[in-house]
């Protein structure tokens, strides 16, 4: 792990923290677990926008595929989650593996795939916020976030 990655992680874990902000970001970050917020958006979209159903269906399938590929890479690479002395993680995770970030991968894939049906700026804003919540909570290195975002963006571009 590079010194820059560690320095950035330490900055995420020490800047802008209050107990109420940490609780709020931990709750917000849970929306990205297994890409549930993105599947919810796709499901809601199919209900309220029947003409956009193909976009929402394709987005949901792509996000599911990105999640599966991300997990396969995570198990192949086996990078452990961050462990900063005196700065324990602020939320739990399903596994102890860190690289790449599934929150980041699925979020950027979803934003790309949903942008034909929904305004792109809020989609990407949500993607960025979910991705950045992870190093804030001490659950991912910044490079995990970048790798996940690149993976999700690239796979979504291939799927579109």
């Amino acid at each position: 792990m590079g010194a820059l990655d560690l320095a950035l992680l330490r900055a995420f874990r020490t800047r802008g923290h209050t107990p109420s902000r940490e609780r709020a970001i931990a709750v917000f970050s849970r929306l990205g677990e297994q890409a549930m917020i993105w599947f919810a958006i796709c499901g809601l979209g199919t209900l309220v926008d029947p003409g956009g159903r193909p976009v929402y269906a394709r987005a949901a399938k792509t996000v599911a595929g990105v999640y599966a590929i991300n997990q396969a890479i995570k198990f192949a690479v086996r990078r452990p989650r961050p462990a900063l002395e005196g700065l324990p993680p602020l939320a739990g995770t399903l596994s102890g593996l860190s690289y790449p970030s599934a929150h980041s991968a699925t979020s950027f894939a979803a934003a790309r795939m949903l942008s034909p049906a929904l305004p792109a700026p809020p989609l990407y804003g949500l993607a960025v916020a979910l991705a950045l919540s992870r190093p804030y909570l001490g659950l991912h290195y910044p490079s995990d976030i970048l790798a996940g975002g690149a993976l999700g963006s690239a796979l979504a571009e291939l799927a579109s």
Side-chain angles (χ1 to χ4, degrees):
M1 172 183 45
L4 178 60
D5 211 17
L6 190 57
L8 288 172
L9 174 62
R10 192 170 299 283
F12 271 106
R13 281 293 288 117
T14 58
R15 305 265 161 77
H17 283 259
T18 64
S20 61
R21 190 173 294 142
E22 288 174 353
R23 283 191 301 276
I25 291 175
V27 168
F28 170 73
S29 189
R30 277 190 223 122
L31 296 173
E33 294 292 337
Q34 291 82 47
M36 286 302 148
I37 186 67
W38 300 110
F39 291 125
I41 290 169
C42 290
L44 184 60
T46 62
L47 293 175
V48 300
D49 180 15
R53 283 187 180 149
V55 172
Y56 297 111
R58 189 177 187 112
K61 289 176 189 172
T62 301
V63 169
V66 167
Y67 183 78
I69 292 167
N70 188 90
Q71 293 304 105
I73 294 169
K74 195 173 277 205
F75 284 109
V77 172
R78 305 201 66 77
R79 182 182 196 182
R81 293 203 183 264
L84 294 175
E85 189 174 325
L87 294 169
L90 301 175
T93 60
L94 293 176
S95 84
L97 302 176
S98 181
Y99 181 92
S101 165
H103 274 65
S104 186
T106 58
S107 292
F108 280 91
R112 170 63 182 91
M113 295 305 293
L114 290 169
S115 62
L118 299 170
L123 292 170
Y124 281 99
L126 179 57
V128 168
L130 283 169
L132 293 180
S133 73
R134 307 308 278 171
Y136 179 91
L137 296 170
L139 302 172
H140 280 287
Y141 295 100
S143 60
D144 300 338
I145 302 306
L146 291 174
L151 175 67
S153 295
L155 292 175
E157 197 59 38
L158 289 173
S160 60

